[in-house]
Amino acid sequence: MSKKPPILIIDDEVHIRRLLYFILKKMGFEEIHRAQNGEEGISLLREYHPQIILLDINMPIMNGLKALEKIIAISPEAKVIMLTSLANREVVEKCLALGASDFIRKDSPQEEIIQSIEELLG
Amino acid sequence: MIYPTNKKDGDRKKKTTCKHVSLPARRFCSICGQAFLTKTCHCGHVNLFRASYCAYCGSSLEDLKDSQPKGALSSSSEYPGKYFLPKILDEAKSDKLYSYPMRKKNEILSQDRIKELFKKKRSQKVENGK
């Protein structure tokens, strides 16, 4: 089995970060970084250069949409999966335009996240 | 509510066979439900009974017969007015109206619909790359 690339979770909710961490560990990821908001996420992106980023939208300090814009500007090759409970058309279309690779509703089953990450890894 | 029929209010009364008084711009008597006399021009604009010319298109109303609406809830084709319902419905049937899909900004999208949108974008990217 090939070594999995570094991955970054950006979410302000502890339980979501923890749940995602366990899912990713189960998938075989070893280098998992976690951030509480967009600003922290960007500093971790500069430091560790993760290939895949799981990004929430509703966050304090810097929200997911602003963070997505900056992430794509800093690291255009990074694959960003938006992970949010806010799935209205306006937000989805904005994420698409900004360059998100996927968009998963938080009420979707775990398998959806796993499948999306595997697809992005190729 | 019955309005007093004194001289001051006399000009507010509309011509009808009932003796009740109604406010202007009303089409039916609010007391007995009888329709007021109006004149409808060839284009379908409704005018006052006394009018000689249409207030909307300027056509002559002199040679027209009095058109009295037969009731608001009767056949809509007999209800002349600015928004002629059967005409609009006919246009809708012929795809003239509402042919553009209504997109609501706050419409909540299902996961399947989101997937579809992202798949479409990915395939567009691939095509552009070629």
Side-chain angles (χ1 to χ4, degrees), chain A residues 32-92:
Chain A
I32 305 165
H33 304 284
R34 288 173 281 182
Q36 290 183 42
N37 56 60
E39 216 172 79
E40 204 184 317
I42 283 164
S43 62
L44 288 177
L45 170 78
R46 286 201 173 108
E47 203 176 332
Y48 299 105
H49 307 287
Q51 268 187 34
I52 294 174
I53 298 159
L54 298 173
L55 180 61
D56 184 26
I57 291 181
N58 275 332
M59 285 185 296
I61 305 173
M62 188 193 283
N63 71 29
L65 293 173
K66 271 191 186 169
L68 173 64
E69 220 176 321
K70 285 200 172 181
I71 288 166
I72 297 297
I74 295 166
S75 172
E77 71 281 356
K79 312 268 189 214
V80 185
I81 301 172
M82 304 307 288
L83 201 70
T84 182
S85 47
L86 192 78
N88 65 39
R89 184 180 281 277
E90 195 182 8
V91 173
V92 173

Short mmCIF file of all heavy atoms in Angstrom, two decimals, chain A residues 32-92:
data_model
loop_
_atom_site.label_atom_id
_atom_site.label_comp_id
_atom_site.label_asym_id
_atom_site.label_seq_id
_atom_site.Cartn_x
_atom_site.Cartn_y
_atom_site.Cartn_z
N ILE A 32 -1.96 13.75 9.65
CA ILE A 32 -3.24 14.47 9.65
C ILE A 32 -3.09 15.73 10.50
O ILE A 32 -2.75 15.66 11.68
CB ILE A 32 -4.38 13.58 10.22
CG1 ILE A 32 -4.45 12.25 9.45
CG2 ILE A 32 -5.71 14.31 10.18
CD1 ILE A 32 -5.27 11.17 10.15
N HIS A 33 -3.32 16.88 9.88
CA HIS A 33 -3.21 18.14 10.61
C HIS A 33 -4.60 18.72 10.83
O HIS A 33 -5.49 18.54 10.00
CB HIS A 33 -2.35 19.13 9.82
CG HIS A 33 -1.01 18.58 9.49
ND1 HIS A 33 0.00 18.50 10.42
CD2 HIS A 33 -0.51 18.03 8.35
CE1 HIS A 33 1.06 17.95 9.85
NE2 HIS A 33 0.76 17.64 8.60
N ARG A 34 -4.74 19.42 11.96
CA ARG A 34 -6.06 19.95 12.30
C ARG A 34 -5.99 21.44 12.64
O ARG A 34 -5.08 21.85 13.36
CB ARG A 34 -6.65 19.17 13.48
CG ARG A 34 -7.09 17.77 13.10
CD ARG A 34 -7.51 16.95 14.28
NE ARG A 34 -6.37 16.42 15.03
CZ ARG A 34 -6.48 15.64 16.09
NH1 ARG A 34 -7.67 15.31 16.54
NH2 ARG A 34 -5.41 15.19 16.71
N ALA A 35 -6.98 22.20 12.11
CA ALA A 35 -7.04 23.63 12.40
C ALA A 35 -8.46 24.03 12.78
O ALA A 35 -9.42 23.40 12.34
CB ALA A 35 -6.59 24.41 11.17
N GLN A 36 -8.55 25.08 13.63
CA GLN A 36 -9.87 25.50 14.13
C GLN A 36 -10.56 26.53 13.25
O GLN A 36 -11.75 26.76 13.37
CB GLN A 36 -9.69 26.13 15.51
CG GLN A 36 -9.32 25.14 16.58
CD GLN A 36 -9.23 25.83 17.91
OE1 GLN A 36 -10.06 26.65 18.24
NE2 GLN A 36 -8.23 25.47 18.70
N ASN A 37 -9.80 27.21 12.42
CA ASN A 37 -10.39 28.24 11.55
C ASN A 37 -9.53 28.43 10.30
O ASN A 37 -8.44 27.84 10.20
CB ASN A 37 -10.56 29.56 12.30
CG ASN A 37 -9.26 30.06 12.89
OD1 ASN A 37 -8.30 30.31 12.16
ND2 ASN A 37 -9.20 30.18 14.21
N GLY A 38 -10.00 29.24 9.40
CA GLY A 38 -9.32 29.44 8.13
C GLY A 38 -7.90 29.95 8.28
O GLY A 38 -6.99 29.48 7.58
N GLU A 39 -7.72 30.88 9.20
CA GLU A 39 -6.41 31.49 9.37
C GLU A 39 -5.38 30.45 9.83
O GLU A 39 -4.27 30.37 9.27
CB GLU A 39 -6.53 32.61 10.41
CG GLU A 39 -5.66 33.80 10.10
CD GLU A 39 -5.98 34.94 11.04
OE1 GLU A 39 -5.51 34.90 12.18
OE2 GLU A 39 -6.71 35.85 10.61
N GLU A 40 -5.78 29.67 10.83
CA GLU A 40 -4.90 28.62 11.34
C GLU A 40 -4.62 27.60 10.24
O GLU A 40 -3.50 27.11 10.09
CB GLU A 40 -5.57 27.95 12.54
CG GLU A 40 -4.60 27.28 13.49
CD GLU A 40 -5.34 26.54 14.60
OE1 GLU A 40 -6.32 27.07 15.15
OE2 GLU A 40 -4.92 25.39 14.90
N GLY A 41 -5.67 27.30 9.47
CA GLY A 41 -5.55 26.34 8.38
C GLY A 41 -4.53 26.78 7.35
O GLY A 41 -3.74 25.97 6.86
N ILE A 42 -4.54 28.08 7.04
CA ILE A 42 -3.61 28.59 6.02
C ILE A 42 -2.16 28.52 6.52
O ILE A 42 -1.26 28.18 5.75
CB ILE A 42 -4.04 29.99 5.57
CG1 ILE A 42 -5.22 29.80 4.61
CG2 ILE A 42 -2.92 30.77 4.88
CD1 ILE A 42 -6.03 30.97 4.32
N SER A 43 -1.97 28.80 7.80
CA SER A 43 -0.59 28.70 8.31
C SER A 43 -0.11 27.24 8.29
O SER A 43 1.06 26.97 8.00
CB SER A 43 -0.47 29.33 9.70
OG SER A 43 -1.28 28.64 10.59
N LEU A 44 -1.04 26.31 8.54
CA LEU A 44 -0.67 24.88 8.47
C LEU A 44 -0.42 24.45 7.02
O LEU A 44 0.44 23.61 6.76
CB LEU A 44 -1.76 24.00 9.10
CG LEU A 44 -1.89 24.04 10.63
CD1 LEU A 44 -3.04 23.17 11.09
CD2 LEU A 44 -0.60 23.57 11.31
N LEU A 45 -1.18 25.04 6.10
CA LEU A 45 -1.00 24.74 4.67
C LEU A 45 0.40 25.17 4.22
O LEU A 45 1.08 24.43 3.51
CB LEU A 45 -2.08 25.50 3.87
CG LEU A 45 -1.93 25.52 2.35
CD1 LEU A 45 -2.38 24.21 1.75
CD2 LEU A 45 -2.74 26.65 1.73
N ARG A 46 0.82 26.35 4.66
CA ARG A 46 2.16 26.85 4.29
C ARG A 46 3.26 25.98 4.88
O ARG A 46 4.32 25.81 4.29
CB ARG A 46 2.30 28.30 4.79
CG ARG A 46 1.50 29.28 3.96
CD ARG A 46 2.03 30.69 4.11
NE ARG A 46 1.36 31.59 3.18
CZ ARG A 46 0.47 32.50 3.53
NH1 ARG A 46 0.14 32.64 4.79
NH2 ARG A 46 -0.07 33.30 2.62
N GLU A 47 2.97 25.43 6.07
CA GLU A 47 3.99 24.65 6.77
C GLU A 47 4.10 23.22 6.24
O GLU A 47 5.20 22.71 6.03
CB GLU A 47 3.63 24.65 8.26
CG GLU A 47 4.81 24.39 9.19
CD GLU A 47 4.41 24.49 10.64
OE1 GLU A 47 3.46 25.23 10.97
OE2 GLU A 47 5.05 23.79 11.45
N TYR A 48 2.95 22.57 6.03
CA TYR A 48 2.97 21.12 5.72
C TYR A 48 2.61 20.78 4.26
O TYR A 48 2.75 19.62 3.87
CB TYR A 48 2.03 20.37 6.66
CG TYR A 48 2.43 20.50 8.11
CD1 TYR A 48 1.73 21.32 8.99
CD2 TYR A 48 3.54 19.81 8.62
CE1 TYR A 48 2.10 21.46 10.31
CE2 TYR A 48 3.92 19.94 9.96
CZ TYR A 48 3.20 20.76 10.78
OH TYR A 48 3.58 20.89 12.10
N HIS A 49 2.11 21.69 3.51
CA HIS A 49 1.71 21.48 2.11
C HIS A 49 0.84 20.23 1.91
O HIS A 49 1.21 19.33 1.16
CB HIS A 49 2.94 21.40 1.20
CG HIS A 49 3.84 22.58 1.37
ND1 HIS A 49 3.53 23.82 0.90
CD2 HIS A 49 5.03 22.71 2.02
CE1 HIS A 49 4.48 24.67 1.22
NE2 HIS A 49 5.42 24.02 1.91
N PRO A 50 -0.31 20.16 2.58
CA PRO A 50 -1.18 18.98 2.39
C PRO A 50 -1.77 18.94 0.98
O PRO A 50 -2.01 19.99 0.37
CB PRO A 50 -2.28 19.18 3.43
CG PRO A 50 -2.31 20.65 3.66
CD PRO A 50 -0.93 21.15 3.44
N GLN A 51 -1.99 17.72 0.50
CA GLN A 51 -2.56 17.57 -0.86
C GLN A 51 -4.08 17.64 -0.82
O GLN A 51 -4.71 18.05 -1.77
CB GLN A 51 -2.14 16.22 -1.43
CG GLN A 51 -0.88 16.31 -2.24
CD GLN A 51 -0.60 14.99 -2.92
OE1 GLN A 51 -1.50 14.27 -3.31
NE2 GLN A 51 0.68 14.68 -3.02
N ILE A 52 -4.63 17.18 0.32
CA ILE A 52 -6.09 17.19 0.45
C ILE A 52 -6.47 18.01 1.69
O ILE A 52 -5.85 17.88 2.75
CB ILE A 52 -6.65 15.75 0.53
CG1 ILE A 52 -6.40 15.05 -0.81
CG2 ILE A 52 -8.14 15.74 0.88
CD1 ILE A 52 -6.77 13.60 -0.84
N ILE A 53 -7.50 18.84 1.52
CA ILE A 53 -7.95 19.68 2.64
C ILE A 53 -9.45 19.51 2.81
O ILE A 53 -10.22 19.63 1.85
CB ILE A 53 -7.60 21.17 2.38
CG1 ILE A 53 -6.08 21.34 2.27
CG2 ILE A 53 -8.16 22.07 3.49
CD1 ILE A 53 -5.64 22.58 1.54
N LEU A 54 -9.86 19.20 4.03
CA LEU A 54 -11.28 19.11 4.34
C LEU A 54 -11.64 20.44 5.01
O LEU A 54 -11.10 20.77 6.06
CB LEU A 54 -11.56 17.94 5.28
CG LEU A 54 -11.22 16.55 4.75
CD1 LEU A 54 -11.37 15.50 5.82
CD2 LEU A 54 -12.10 16.19 3.56
N LEU A 55 -12.52 21.19 4.40
CA LEU A 55 -12.75 22.57 4.84
C LEU A 55 -14.23 22.84 5.16
O LEU A 55 -15.11 22.59 4.34
CB LEU A 55 -12.27 23.52 3.72
CG LEU A 55 -12.40 25.01 3.91
CD1 LEU A 55 -11.61 25.51 5.11
CD2 LEU A 55 -11.93 25.75 2.65
N ASP A 56 -14.43 23.37 6.36
CA ASP A 56 -15.78 23.76 6.79
C ASP A 56 -16.06 25.17 6.27
O ASP A 56 -15.13 25.91 5.92
CB ASP A 56 -15.84 23.71 8.32
CG ASP A 56 -17.22 24.01 8.87
OD1 ASP A 56 -18.20 23.77 8.15
OD2 ASP A 56 -17.32 24.47 10.03
N ILE A 57 -17.34 25.57 6.23
CA ILE A 57 -17.64 26.93 5.75
C ILE A 57 -17.90 27.91 6.90
O ILE A 57 -17.29 28.97 6.98
CB ILE A 57 -18.81 26.91 4.74
CG1 ILE A 57 -18.35 26.22 3.45
CG2 ILE A 57 -19.29 28.35 4.42
CD1 ILE A 57 -19.35 26.14 2.35
N ASN A 58 -18.81 27.52 7.79
CA ASN A 58 -19.14 28.43 8.90
C ASN A 58 -18.11 28.32 10.01
O ASN A 58 -18.15 27.40 10.83
CB ASN A 58 -20.52 28.09 9.45
CG ASN A 58 -21.61 28.78 8.67
OD1 ASN A 58 -21.39 29.84 8.10
ND2 ASN A 58 -22.76 28.17 8.63
N MET A 59 -17.18 29.29 10.02
CA MET A 59 -16.13 29.26 11.04
C MET A 59 -15.85 30.69 11.51
O MET A 59 -16.03 31.64 10.74
CB MET A 59 -14.84 28.69 10.45
CG MET A 59 -14.87 27.20 10.25
SD MET A 59 -13.29 26.59 9.70
CE MET A 59 -13.14 27.37 8.12
N PRO A 60 -15.39 30.85 12.74
CA PRO A 60 -15.01 32.19 13.19
C PRO A 60 -13.67 32.62 12.58
O PRO A 60 -12.97 31.80 11.98
CB PRO A 60 -14.91 32.02 14.71
CG PRO A 60 -14.57 30.59 14.91
CD PRO A 60 -15.20 29.84 13.78
N ILE A 61 -13.34 33.87 12.75
CA ILE A 61 -12.08 34.51 12.29
C ILE A 61 -12.01 34.54 10.76
O ILE A 61 -12.07 35.60 10.16
CB ILE A 61 -10.81 33.89 12.91
CG1 ILE A 61 -10.94 33.91 14.45
CG2 ILE A 61 -9.54 34.65 12.46
CD1 ILE A 61 -9.87 33.19 15.20
N MET A 62 -11.88 33.39 10.13
CA MET A 62 -11.91 33.37 8.66
C MET A 62 -12.80 32.22 8.20
O MET A 62 -12.55 31.07 8.55
CB MET A 62 -10.49 33.18 8.09
CG MET A 62 -10.45 33.33 6.58
SD MET A 62 -8.91 32.76 5.87
CE MET A 62 -7.84 34.12 6.27
N ASN A 63 -13.84 32.55 7.47
CA ASN A 63 -14.76 31.49 7.06
C ASN A 63 -14.19 30.65 5.91
O ASN A 63 -13.17 30.99 5.32
CB ASN A 63 -16.16 32.05 6.74
CG ASN A 63 -16.21 32.85 5.46
OD1 ASN A 63 -15.47 32.62 4.51
ND2 ASN A 63 -17.10 33.81 5.42
N GLY A 64 -14.90 29.57 5.61
CA GLY A 64 -14.41 28.61 4.63
C GLY A 64 -14.26 29.16 3.22
O GLY A 64 -13.33 28.78 2.50
N LEU A 65 -15.16 30.08 2.84
CA LEU A 65 -15.10 30.61 1.47
C LEU A 65 -13.85 31.48 1.26
O LEU A 65 -13.17 31.38 0.25
CB LEU A 65 -16.37 31.39 1.14
CG LEU A 65 -17.65 30.56 1.06
CD1 LEU A 65 -18.86 31.46 0.91
CD2 LEU A 65 -17.59 29.59 -0.10
N LYS A 66 -13.57 32.32 2.28
CA LYS A 66 -12.36 33.16 2.20
C LYS A 66 -11.13 32.27 2.24
O LYS A 66 -10.16 32.51 1.51
CB LYS A 66 -12.34 34.14 3.39
CG LYS A 66 -13.05 35.43 3.09
CD LYS A 66 -12.77 36.44 4.18
CE LYS A 66 -13.59 37.68 3.98
NZ LYS A 66 -13.53 38.56 5.16
N ALA A 67 -11.18 31.27 3.11
CA ALA A 67 -10.04 30.35 3.24
C ALA A 67 -9.80 29.61 1.93
O ALA A 67 -8.66 29.48 1.49
CB ALA A 67 -10.30 29.37 4.38
N LEU A 68 -10.90 29.18 1.29
CA LEU A 68 -10.78 28.46 0.01
C LEU A 68 -10.07 29.32 -1.04
O LEU A 68 -9.18 28.84 -1.75
CB LEU A 68 -12.18 28.05 -0.46
CG LEU A 68 -12.29 27.41 -1.85
CD1 LEU A 68 -11.55 26.08 -1.90
CD2 LEU A 68 -13.75 27.19 -2.24
N GLU A 69 -10.46 30.58 -1.09
CA GLU A 69 -9.86 31.51 -2.04
C GLU A 69 -8.34 31.59 -1.82
O GLU A 69 -7.56 31.53 -2.77
CB GLU A 69 -10.50 32.89 -1.82
CG GLU A 69 -10.78 33.63 -3.10
CD GLU A 69 -11.49 34.94 -2.84
OE1 GLU A 69 -12.38 34.99 -1.97
OE2 GLU A 69 -11.14 35.90 -3.53
N LYS A 70 -7.97 31.71 -0.54
CA LYS A 70 -6.54 31.85 -0.21
C LYS A 70 -5.80 30.54 -0.47
O LYS A 70 -4.67 30.55 -0.97
CB LYS A 70 -6.40 32.26 1.26
CG LYS A 70 -6.74 33.71 1.49
CD LYS A 70 -6.15 34.23 2.76
CE LYS A 70 -6.36 35.73 2.85
NZ LYS A 70 -5.78 36.30 4.06
N ILE A 71 -6.44 29.43 -0.12
CA ILE A 71 -5.80 28.12 -0.31
C ILE A 71 -5.47 27.90 -1.78
O ILE A 71 -4.37 27.50 -2.14
CB ILE A 71 -6.71 26.98 0.24
CG1 ILE A 71 -6.74 27.01 1.77
CG2 ILE A 71 -6.24 25.61 -0.25
CD1 ILE A 71 -7.84 26.19 2.40
N ILE A 72 -6.46 28.19 -2.65
CA ILE A 72 -6.26 27.98 -4.09
C ILE A 72 -5.16 28.92 -4.62
O ILE A 72 -4.38 28.55 -5.48
CB ILE A 72 -7.59 28.16 -4.86
CG1 ILE A 72 -8.62 27.09 -4.42
CG2 ILE A 72 -7.41 28.12 -6.37
CD1 ILE A 72 -8.28 25.64 -4.69
N ALA A 73 -5.10 30.14 -4.05
CA ALA A 73 -4.06 31.09 -4.47
C ALA A 73 -2.67 30.62 -4.04
O ALA A 73 -1.70 30.74 -4.79
CB ALA A 73 -4.37 32.46 -3.89
N ILE A 74 -2.59 30.07 -2.83
CA ILE A 74 -1.28 29.62 -2.30
C ILE A 74 -0.86 28.31 -2.94
O ILE A 74 0.28 28.13 -3.35
CB ILE A 74 -1.35 29.47 -0.75
CG1 ILE A 74 -1.59 30.83 -0.09
CG2 ILE A 74 -0.08 28.83 -0.19
CD1 ILE A 74 -2.01 30.74 1.36
N SER A 75 -1.83 27.36 -2.96
CA SER A 75 -1.50 26.02 -3.44
C SER A 75 -2.55 25.53 -4.44
O SER A 75 -3.50 24.84 -4.07
CB SER A 75 -1.41 25.10 -2.21
OG SER A 75 -1.28 23.78 -2.59
N PRO A 76 -2.42 25.91 -5.70
CA PRO A 76 -3.45 25.57 -6.70
C PRO A 76 -3.63 24.07 -6.94
O PRO A 76 -4.70 23.64 -7.39
CB PRO A 76 -2.98 26.26 -7.97
CG PRO A 76 -1.77 27.03 -7.65
CD PRO A 76 -1.31 26.66 -6.30
N GLU A 77 -2.59 23.30 -6.61
CA GLU A 77 -2.71 21.85 -6.84
C GLU A 77 -3.43 21.12 -5.70
O GLU A 77 -3.77 19.94 -5.82
CB GLU A 77 -1.32 21.23 -7.12
CG GLU A 77 -0.37 21.14 -5.95
CD GLU A 77 0.33 22.47 -5.62
OE1 GLU A 77 0.14 23.47 -6.36
OE2 GLU A 77 1.05 22.50 -4.62
N ALA A 78 -3.68 21.82 -4.59
CA ALA A 78 -4.36 21.19 -3.44
C ALA A 78 -5.82 20.89 -3.78
O ALA A 78 -6.48 21.66 -4.46
CB ALA A 78 -4.28 22.12 -2.25
N LYS A 79 -6.27 19.73 -3.32
CA LYS A 79 -7.67 19.34 -3.55
C LYS A 79 -8.47 19.70 -2.29
O LYS A 79 -8.16 19.19 -1.21
CB LYS A 79 -7.79 17.83 -3.79
CG LYS A 79 -6.79 17.30 -4.81
CD LYS A 79 -7.36 17.31 -6.18
CE LYS A 79 -6.45 16.59 -7.15
NZ LYS A 79 -6.48 17.17 -8.47
N VAL A 80 -9.45 20.56 -2.47
CA VAL A 80 -10.23 21.01 -1.31
C VAL A 80 -11.63 20.39 -1.35
O VAL A 80 -12.35 20.52 -2.33
CB VAL A 80 -10.33 22.55 -1.27
CG1 VAL A 80 -11.04 23.01 -0.01
CG2 VAL A 80 -8.95 23.18 -1.37
N ILE A 81 -11.95 19.72 -0.25
CA ILE A 81 -13.30 19.14 -0.12
C ILE A 81 -14.05 20.00 0.88
O ILE A 81 -13.66 20.11 2.04
CB ILE A 81 -13.25 17.67 0.37
CG1 ILE A 81 -12.45 16.81 -0.61
CG2 ILE A 81 -14.66 17.12 0.56
CD1 ILE A 81 -12.19 15.39 -0.11
N MET A 82 -15.11 20.65 0.42
CA MET A 82 -15.92 21.46 1.31
C MET A 82 -16.81 20.52 2.11
O MET A 82 -17.45 19.64 1.55
CB MET A 82 -16.78 22.46 0.53
CG MET A 82 -16.02 23.37 -0.39
SD MET A 82 -14.67 24.28 0.36
CE MET A 82 -15.54 25.46 1.36
N LEU A 83 -16.82 20.73 3.41
CA LEU A 83 -17.57 19.84 4.28
C LEU A 83 -18.45 20.71 5.17
O LEU A 83 -17.96 21.34 6.10
CB LEU A 83 -16.57 19.04 5.13
CG LEU A 83 -17.07 17.74 5.72
CD1 LEU A 83 -17.27 16.72 4.63
CD2 LEU A 83 -16.08 17.21 6.73
N THR A 84 -19.73 20.78 4.84
CA THR A 84 -20.57 21.73 5.56
C THR A 84 -22.03 21.32 5.64
O THR A 84 -22.48 20.46 4.90
CB THR A 84 -20.46 23.12 4.88
OG1 THR A 84 -21.23 24.05 5.61
CG2 THR A 84 -20.92 23.09 3.46
N SER A 85 -22.71 21.95 6.56
CA SER A 85 -24.16 21.69 6.66
C SER A 85 -24.93 22.73 5.85
O SER A 85 -26.13 22.64 5.68
CB SER A 85 -24.58 21.74 8.13
OG SER A 85 -24.05 22.88 8.74
N LEU A 86 -24.20 23.76 5.38
CA LEU A 86 -24.80 24.84 4.61
C LEU A 86 -24.71 24.50 3.12
O LEU A 86 -23.70 24.77 2.49
CB LEU A 86 -24.04 26.13 4.91
CG LEU A 86 -24.64 27.44 4.45
CD1 LEU A 86 -25.75 27.86 5.41
CD2 LEU A 86 -23.57 28.53 4.44
N ALA A 87 -25.76 23.87 2.59
CA ALA A 87 -25.65 23.40 1.20
C ALA A 87 -26.64 24.08 0.29
O ALA A 87 -27.30 23.43 -0.51
CB ALA A 87 -25.81 21.90 1.16
N ASN A 88 -26.78 25.40 0.39
CA ASN A 88 -27.70 26.05 -0.56
C ASN A 88 -26.99 26.32 -1.88
O ASN A 88 -25.77 26.33 -1.96
CB ASN A 88 -28.39 27.28 0.03
CG ASN A 88 -27.45 28.40 0.36
OD1 ASN A 88 -26.52 28.66 -0.39
ND2 ASN A 88 -27.67 29.05 1.47
N ARG A 89 -27.81 26.53 -2.90
CA ARG A 89 -27.27 26.65 -4.26
C ARG A 89 -26.21 27.74 -4.40
O ARG A 89 -25.18 27.54 -5.02
CB ARG A 89 -28.43 26.93 -5.23
CG ARG A 89 -27.99 26.98 -6.67
CD ARG A 89 -29.14 27.24 -7.59
NE ARG A 89 -29.91 26.05 -7.84
CZ ARG A 89 -29.59 25.13 -8.75
NH1 ARG A 89 -28.49 25.26 -9.46
NH2 ARG A 89 -30.35 24.09 -8.93
N GLU A 90 -26.46 28.87 -3.74
CA GLU A 90 -25.53 30.01 -3.85
C GLU A 90 -24.14 29.61 -3.35
O GLU A 90 -23.13 29.89 -4.00
CB GLU A 90 -26.09 31.18 -3.05
CG GLU A 90 -25.42 32.49 -3.38
CD GLU A 90 -25.95 33.64 -2.55
OE1 GLU A 90 -26.73 33.42 -1.61
OE2 GLU A 90 -25.54 34.77 -2.85
N VAL A 91 -24.10 28.95 -2.19
CA VAL A 91 -22.82 28.56 -1.59
C VAL A 91 -22.12 27.50 -2.45
O VAL A 91 -20.92 27.60 -2.72
CB VAL A 91 -23.05 28.05 -0.13
CG1 VAL A 91 -21.77 27.49 0.45
CG2 VAL A 91 -23.57 29.17 0.74
N VAL A 92 -22.89 26.52 -2.90
CA VAL A 92 -22.32 25.44 -3.72
C VAL A 92 -21.71 26.02 -5.00
O VAL A 92 -20.58 25.68 -5.37
CB VAL A 92 -23.38 24.36 -4.04
CG1 VAL A 92 -22.84 23.33 -5.02
CG2 VAL A 92 -23.86 23.66 -2.78
#
